Amino acid sequence: REQRFSGAVQSSLFAAAFQIQAQCMRAALNHKIQSTGAVETKRLQVRLWKLQHSGISEWKIQPMHIHDEVMAPSKPELSESIESIVEGFVKERKTLIPLLKMDWKSRMKNWAEK
């Protein structure tokens, strides 16, 4: 059959609508994963902040949360304490999130080594 202008427009609109729907579904699934990761990393960040003295004092740790990632620049003497907190957190949370995994690097000279 010969394709007419109206049929071509209709096909294009259906294809565009299906792509928008697929994009929304991917975003919804990604949101569920990313938001869960964000909540868990915020919980870890709270535990790490406990290593920093409150009030006016020299900084020891400065945890920063970005989406589903935690960066925690700290004084070298805190590395073992931080690793212990992270390992304990992951072990505890694995009871609720079985596939939870967290890569942790310590003693980096700068963030580019991440």
Side-chain angles (χ1 to χ4, degrees):
R1 244 172 49 176
E2 181 181 336
Q3 184 173 12
R4 299 187 184 251
F5 178 75
S6 61
V9 170
Q10 186 178 16
S11 294
S12 297
L13 288 174
F14 279 136
F18 287 134
Q19 286 301 318
I20 292 169
Q21 182 182 23
Q23 184 179 8
C24 290
M25 288 171 39
R26 283 191 303 274
L29 289 171
N30 187 44
H31 175 74
K32 186 149 180 93
I33 293 167
Q34 290 264 338
S35 64
T36 303
V39 168
E40 292 304 314
T41 53
K42 286 174 188 168
R43 287 183 175 143
L44 174 60
Q45 184 181 8
V46 167
R47 292 185 189 187
L48 293 174
W49 267 119
K50 291 180 182 177
L51 296 173
Q52 177 65 39
H53 296 294
S54 59
I56 299 173
S57 64
E58 181 181 19
W59 75 270
K60 294 186 181 217
I61 185 169
Q62 297 176 337
M64 178 173 60
H65 167 262
I66 303 169
H67 299 292
D68 57 353
E69 189 173 327
V70 173
M71 291 189 202
S74 65
K75 300 287 184 178
E77 62 267 14
L78 286 179
S79 288
E80 290 180 21
S81 298
I82 293 170
E83 287 179 34
S84 174
I85 290 171
V86 171
E87 288 172 9
F89 178 81
V90 170
K91 185 177 180 181
E92 173 191 320
R93 301 309 289 173
K94 270 195 170 194
T95 59
L96 298 172
I97 308 169
L99 300 177
L100 179 65
K101 179 185 172 200
M102 186 173 291
D103 295 328
W104 192 263
K105 294 181 181 178
S106 60
R107 303 185 195 279
M108 295 186 316
K109 294 180 179 148
N110 57 50
W111 287 359
E113 296 175 12
K114 176 179 91 101

